[in-house]
Amino acid sequence: MDTEQLRRTFFDFFVEREHVFRPSASVIPNDPTLLLTNAGMVPFKPYFLGEESPPFKRAVSVQKCVRTVDIDIIGTTRRHLSFFEMLGNFSFGDYFKKEAIAWAYELVTTKLALDPDRLWYTVYEADDDARQIWIDEVGVPPERVQSGGKDNFWQMGVPGPCGPCSELFWDKGAEYGPPGGPIGGGEERYVEIWNLVFMQNIQDEPYHVIGDLPARNIDTGMGLERTAAVLQGVDSAFAIDTIQPIIAAAAAATRVVYGASEIGDVSLRILADHARTVSVLIGDGVVPSNEGRGYVLRRLLRRAVRHAWQFQSEGLVTPSLVEAAINTLQPAYPELGNKRDLILSVVEREEVRFRRTLESGHQLLDTEIADLASPHLPGPVAFRLHDTFGFPIELTREIAAERGVEVDEVGFKEEMTAQRARARKAWKGGDQAGVADLYREVVEESGPTEFTGYEFEAGTGQVLAIVREGEQVERADSGQEVEVFLDRTPFYAESGGQVGDTGNIATPTGVVEVIDTRNAIPGLHGHRGKVLSGYLTVGQEAEMSIDSPRRERIRKSHTGTHVLHWALRDVLGSHAHQAGSLVEAGRLRFDFSHHSALSTEELAEIERLANHRLIENGEVSTTVTSMREAERMGALAFFGDKYGDTVRVVQVGGFSVELCGGTHTHTSGQVGPLLVTTESSIGSNIRRVEALTGDVAYHQVAEVRAGLAQASQLLRSPAAELPHRIRSLLTRVDELEDQVEAYRQRERGQIAETLVGEQAENVGTARMLIAPWPQLNLEQLRQLALAARDRMASGVVVLGSARDGKGSLVATVSKDLVAAGVSAADLVAAGARLLGGGGSRDPELAQAGGPHGDQLQAALDAVRSEAGRRLAAL
């Protein structure tokens, strides 16, 4: 059974049992506590935590997962992968252990046709119910049901649901290890293929079970790759049909034969694994960076490049690897094929950069290791590799370990303390994760917020909770900063790039000025602001009103963002997909994937197309529909929004169709003009355009027009002819500057002639000119000194000047004297010390300076003494 058949068999089995099929969510989770989606249950986590009500009772899914906790052993085992797919069936307060266990057994023994005599099962040691179901109701042999401890009890790292679990294992056979079952037997022999989690308890912090859940849930996870290896009769996940082609591509790129050596095999498995992971990460919008999930991507890419590089592979290897990965994953994830060019471009650029780092850093590391007196690499050395060459500590550790050397990571961390502190502070989830429990309490007590802002800009509601200084309070008084939660609100919470609304909340006893509205957690609107007058208490009725003019300008920018997105894709291609946005009153910022800077012509065409569509004044319509219907309509997902089964589709004039939860104008013409102001790079293969909309754009154009009118008056030229007029003036300026410079050269020559004739001294066969020349800058001194030197057959010229309290020296020596050992650098050094500074090191032309301009004459005297001594010695 190939991998695609396994997927289909799993889905069909549970769909027949009334499960709603859910396609994979992004590996970028909408969860501040997680960096990446690492389990099949992550998209359903709000349902398990009670933050949201599930729209269905049963679900079946395939989920893209990324885990890097085992990155150091990937490639050394047959089963660990950094990217894997998790098949799962879920129950939200519907069926429980009996059905989950029975269906699991039925699926693996009938649909997947696995031999029951080679299956083993584990249950939690205190879960007599699960044991009884396996033995008495399913009918498996009692000796094949083993009891486990904490490994058979599932817990999240937050207070909430938890419960025992039961795992299914496949016995690969005696040749893979000793008997005894998964608990007590050989780890390589017994392969876990499915884990059934029974969420029946609730835990506090630090995660002790404190009772039973009112609604019991089921969360299962079957590893697609591990199960495929069993079904395909191979002993490794790397040998299945969807990974073998990538192994072959890695072997071709590195010219390493798979199976010839363990070292080579480990590297090829790492290359294949990482190629899959980076393809999925980039496909879901992650870009290489030095923090967060971008750092995970960069680390995987660099680790792959290093393993290819060590085999002296010629040319780039990652493009061919991700090409193979995309080809194997594309049938299940078509979006990877659509983003092929972007993925290839990102990995190519990253590999080119990192290969330069490898050349320099690897050589230095090898030298340092060779010179070690003991097998310990000092922390400062590891830090210098990181800081100077961009050499990751993980790579230093990995290479050192291959040489039998241990890295002083304590010393390295001491060097990195400040930078790591900044990185932690900048992590997206830092602040939000810290108060997540508090917000969950609000939801549990009061329920989610009803948003009325699509239809209304004012309304009434009840104050459900007040948070001040990280704690819930019953009352807030004048002058205090608060976050207010109500049962309903017209205030839009920042999402999908659109900023939150501002306005006022008034109760019978006080008024709160709302300066921002955010989603505290999904579905819970937090109104952040300050009590302007009086006080407010929990339970009061409140009158709410948003800043309507500001909302109107934001709407213009949001609709303008959709139109700009369409224009970008029309001009640049479909790969120009949104990677981030900011929608504010009168202005917008839009980040998108593209491999190079936009030309002036491309920007002009994008702006022209966008305004052409806006002028058409097409209708902006909103449709609430299913995700499947939205996909049929061709809707694009907008970065940052979270989509459930019911989604909002925003259509502009029939040409732009996007999923979006934001607020919009009624027609495109209401946006007004859209003016692109800047275009820049914000990372590898990610560009940013900024634009103005509505009256802000108009005022900008008006200012430019007024400036042109004033320039026309000043230059006595029509606005259309200003470029020609300015070019003519610039040409004339260049001619006049040439004339001035020619005059200055003649003047310098005359001054130099006078200086040499009147002040130059004869010292032996050479001449020496040491003189002050007040109020000249360094460049002027340099030109004058060179002119004086050119009037001597053999000589030394040192000129000094004092300006604004600072002293400057310039020394120049003829070539014959330089050859004889007289150095301009040595001469200015004698005076530089008295000026309180230092000098340059060129022997023919050197300069120096310092803050003590009042010591200029003393400095020149010191130079005269040094020059006279050196010339006299020739």
Side-chain angles (χ1 to χ4, degrees):
M1 182 180 288
D2 64 33
T3 304
E4 184 55 36
Q5 288 174 310
L6 171 57
R7 281 195 192 93
R8 197 177 308 116
T9 300
F10 191 93
F11 300 155
D12 290 347
F13 181 85
F14 284 103
V15 168
E16 289 172 3
R17 287 153 182 79
E18 300 178 339
H19 289 64
V20 174
F21 171 68
R22 301 295 300 156
S24 176
S26 169
V27 294
I28 303 177
N30 191 5
D31 186 331
T33 68
L34 291 174
L35 201 61
L36 293 163
T37 300
N38 59 7
M41 58 76 64
V42 168
F44 305 111
K45 188 175 171 183
Y47 306 151
F48 292 133
L49 289 173
E51 296 172 350
E52 299 179 25
S53 298
F56 34 69
K57 289 293 187 180
R58 302 178 179 184
V60 58
S61 74
V62 58
Q63 178 59 48
K64 297 177 290 187
C65 299
V66 174
R67 284 185 198 166
T68 56
V69 65
D70 295 322
I71 189 172
D72 292 329
I73 65 172
I74 286 172
T76 64
T77 73
R78 301 173 186 271
R79 65 183 187 279
H80 286 95
L81 300 167
S82 60
F83 166 74
F84 57 94
E85 297 175 73
M86 190 65 78
L87 301 165
N89 59 290
F90 305 87
S91 167
F92 309 105
D94 188 12
Y95 64 84
F96 200 48
K97 293 180 187 178
K98 180 178 180 180
E99 294 85 351
I101 292 174
W103 285 337
Y105 184 81
E106 180 184 356
L107 175 62
V108 297
T109 58
T110 60
K111 300 297 183 180
L112 302 186
L114 293 181
D115 184 356
D117 292 337
R118 297 178 65 178
L119 289 170
W120 287 74
Y121 318 91
T122 63
V123 297
Y124 183 52
E125 56 195 2
D127 191 359
D128 295 333
D129 292 341
R131 170 179 290 278
Q132 181 269 328
I133 293 170
W134 277 116
I135 297 171
D136 296 338
E137 299 196 28
V138 175
V140 304
E143 64 273 13
R144 288 186 175 271
V145 182
Q146 297 185 318
S147 296
K150 64 179 182 178
D151 287 342
N152 279 93
F153 195 89
W154 178 87
Q155 294 174 288
M156 283 190 288
V158 294
C162 60
C165 61
S166 179
E167 300 163 312
L168 283 75
F169 289 82
W170 174 255
D171 182 358
K172 292 166 63 176
E175 64 270 30
Y176 291 97
I183 299 177
E187 184 178 357
E188 284 294 323
R189 174 170 175 171
Y190 299 95
V191 179
E192 178 195 339
I193 60 173
W194 204 348
N195 187 16
L196 316 177
V197 176
F198 312 126
M199 292 190 194
Q200 65 187 50
N201 306 114
I202 188 166
Q203 64 182 9
D204 62 2
E205 191 171 5
Y207 319 131
H208 300 120
V209 175
I210 57 175
D212 295 332
L213 286 171
R216 300 180 301 180
N217 307 308
I218 289 292
D219 159 27
T220 85
M222 171 184 279
L224 181 74
E225 292 82 2
R226 291 188 185 184
T227 307
V230 170
L231 295 172
Q232 293 171 23
V234 294
D235 65 354
S236 167
F238 292 95
I240 66 173
D241 58 320
T242 53
I243 301 184
Q244 262 299 299
I246 316 174
I247 292 279
T254 58
R255 299 193 301 276
V256 174
V257 177
Y258 192 56
S261 72
E262 182 59 22
I263 292 176
D265 288 355
V266 168
S267 290
L268 293 180
R269 288 194 287 264
I270 288 172
L271 288 169
D273 171 86
H274 291 7
R276 282 162 39 98
T277 309
V278 301
S279 299
V280 170
L281 287 172
I282 299 170
D284 274 0
V286 181
V287 294
S289 69
N290 289 326
E291 60 185 35
R293 56 183 66 96
Y295 180 72
V296 173
L297 171 59
R298 175 161 282 169
R299 182 185 177 191
L300 289 166
L301 272 168
R302 289 180 170 184
R303 195 165 184 260
V305 171
R306 209 279 291 187
H307 276 271
W309 182 82
Q310 69 183 1
F311 295 111
Q312 287 85 45
S313 56
E314 297 178 3
L316 303 180
V317 297
T318 53
S320 62
L321 297 181
V322 300
E323 186 85 55
I326 292 170
N327 289 340
T328 62
L329 291 168
Q330 184 178 356
Y333 306 105
E335 65 271 15
L336 291 177
N338 298 333
K339 296 180 180 179
R340 184 186 302 266
D341 292 344
L342 170 65
I343 297 170
L344 290 171
S345 177
V346 170
V347 299
E348 180 178 331
R349 286 168 178 260
E350 195 71 11
E351 179 172 356
V352 168
R353 291 194 186 101
F354 189 57
R355 276 182 175 265
R356 291 196 290 265
T357 297
L358 274 174
E359 294 288 346
S360 53
H362 210 297
Q363 184 177 5
L364 176 60
L365 180 57
D366 285 342
T367 301
E368 292 285 352
I369 290 176
D371 293 341
L372 290 176
S374 64
H376 299 282
L377 186 73
V381 174
F383 179 76
R384 189 167 80 252
L385 280 164
H386 164 85
D387 195 48
T388 305
F389 299 99
F391 216 66
I393 182 62
E394 296 85 4
L395 198 52
T396 298
R397 184 196 308 124
E398 187 173 326
I399 296 171
E402 292 170 359
R403 310 283 201 280
V405 172
E406 184 179 354
V407 178
D408 172 20
E409 296 198 43
V410 173
F412 174 84
K413 289 176 181 177
E414 290 174 355
E415 301 278 355
M416 283 287 293
T417 298
Q419 287 163 278
R420 290 205 177 279
R422 287 194 297 272
R424 283 195 300 271
K425 184 177 180 181
W427 179 46
K428 178 181 177 182
D431 295 336
Q432 192 175 358
V435 294
D437 294 342
L438 174 63
Y439 293 142
R440 289 193 189 98
E441 288 179 15
V442 175
V443 170
E444 290 171 3
E445 294 172 4
S446 311
T449 310
E450 177 189 350
F451 178 58
T452 62
Y454 291 132
E455 297 84 15
F456 306 104
E457 296 183 355
T460 60
Q462 184 181 29
V463 178
L464 300 179
I466 303 170
V467 172
R468 181 166 57 84
E469 297 179 354
E471 295 183 357
Q472 281 202 62
V473 296
E474 290 296 316
R475 169 175 167 151
D477 295 307
S478 179
Q480 293 180 336
E481 295 183 354
V482 294
E483 188 170 15
V484 182
F485 300 91
L486 302 103
D487 58 346
R488 65 177 65 87
T489 182
F491 285 78
Y492 182 85
E494 180 178 334
S495 179
Q498 179 175 330
V499 296
D501 279 329
T502 61
N504 286 317
I505 299 174
T507 72
T509 60
V511 176
V512 175
E513 179 188 21
V514 178
I515 60 173
D516 193 15
T517 309
R518 296 187 182 181
N519 279 304
I521 57 176
L524 183 66
H525 289 219
H527 306 78
R528 300 183 179 185
K530 187 175 185 179
V531 182
L532 286 183
S533 61
Y535 65 90
L536 73 157
T537 61
V538 173
Q540 285 184 313
E541 290 295 316
E543 295 284 343
M544 295 168 284
S545 59
I546 70 169
D547 183 340
S548 295
R550 179 176 179 270
R551 164 79 79 85
E552 178 60 25
R553 293 195 295 273
I554 293 171
R555 279 201 293 255
K556 293 178 186 294
S557 293
H558 207 153
T559 302
T561 301
H562 284 225
V563 175
L564 178 62
H565 190 187
W566 169 85
L568 281 163
R569 291 167 63 84
D570 190 75
V571 173
L572 304 178
S574 60
H575 69 277
H577 201 72
Q578 185 178 3
S581 70
L582 177 64
V583 179
E584 297 181 307
R587 63 186 67 246
L588 63 92
R589 188 178 72 207
F590 190 86
D591 303 335
F592 60 98
S593 51
H594 191 58
H595 49 77
S596 61
L598 274 61
S599 66
T600 302
E601 293 75 17
E602 286 173 326
L603 277 175
E605 178 62 9
I606 289 164
E607 185 180 87
R608 186 195 70 80
L609 279 175
N611 282 284
H612 175 73
R613 287 298 195 181
L614 294 175
I615 292 169
E616 288 179 344
N617 199 31
E619 179 187 3
V620 180
S621 63
T622 301
T623 305
V624 179
T625 185
S626 66
M627 188 68 185
R628 179 170 296 182
E629 178 61 19
E631 292 170 349
R632 190 195 66 78
M633 295 166 67
L636 295 174
F638 228 44
F639 180 89
D641 276 355
K642 180 183 178 182
Y643 308 112
D645 280 326
T646 302
V647 295
R648 298 178 79 246
V649 180
V650 176
Q651 299 185 68
V652 183
F655 60 89
S656 169
V657 185
E658 304 197 11
L659 300 182
C660 182
T663 60
H664 290 270
T665 58
H666 299 298
T667 65
S668 61
Q670 290 176 275
V671 173
L674 186 148
L675 180 66
V676 176
T677 56
T678 63
E679 188 271 344
S680 61
S681 169
I682 61 167
S684 301
N685 308 298
I686 302 295
R687 310 296 302 179
R688 169 175 290 172
V689 292
E690 298 188 43
L692 305 177
T693 58
D695 57 354
V696 178
Y698 169 76
H699 290 313
Q700 176 76 4
V701 172
E703 286 182 13
V704 172
R705 188 169 60 186
L708 285 173
Q710 187 176 8
S712 296
Q713 291 175 353
L714 292 171
L715 298 176
R716 296 184 178 87
S717 176
E721 298 178 12
L722 280 177
H724 173 72
R725 177 67 171 146
I726 292 171
R727 278 193 294 269
S728 298
L729 287 173
L730 289 174
T731 300
R732 179 60 177 154
V733 168
D734 288 341
E735 293 171 353
L736 291 173
E737 287 181 345
D738 290 342
Q739 293 176 17
V740 170
E741 180 56 29
Y743 169 78
R744 286 174 175 164
Q745 279 188 313
R746 288 195 300 273
E747 183 184 34
R748 282 195 299 268
Q750 294 170 356
I751 295 172
E753 192 74 39
T754 301
L755 277 172
V756 172
E758 295 180 356
Q759 299 190 40
E761 309 170 42
N762 293 320
V763 182
T765 58
R767 305 194 74 191
M768 179 178 73
L769 173 61
I770 313 292
W773 197 262
Q775 298 301 313
L776 293 186
N777 61 33
L778 271 174
E779 177 58 23
Q780 292 167 334
L781 277 180
R782 191 179 70 84
Q783 294 289 349
L784 185 56
L786 289 171
R789 188 199 64 182
D790 291 344
R791 282 157 175 75
M792 299 178 182
S794 175
V796 169
V797 177
V798 182
L799 299 180
S801 179
R803 296 181 67 188
D804 301 324
K806 299 177 181 178
S808 301
L809 296 173
V810 171
T812 179
V813 179
S814 58
K815 293 184 183 296
D816 64 311
L817 294 180
V818 172
V822 180
S823 169
D826 293 340
L827 298 182
V828 296
R833 288 188 290 272
L834 292 170
L835 295 177
S840 60
R841 303 304 302 165
D842 191 306
E844 188 173 340
L845 177 64
Q847 62 189 41
H852 304 316
D854 58 340
Q855 296 296 311
L856 177 63
Q857 189 56 55
L860 288 172
D861 291 343
V863 171
R864 179 179 285 105
S865 175
E866 180 67 16
R869 185 181 65 78
R870 289 178 179 269
L871 291 176
L874 295 178

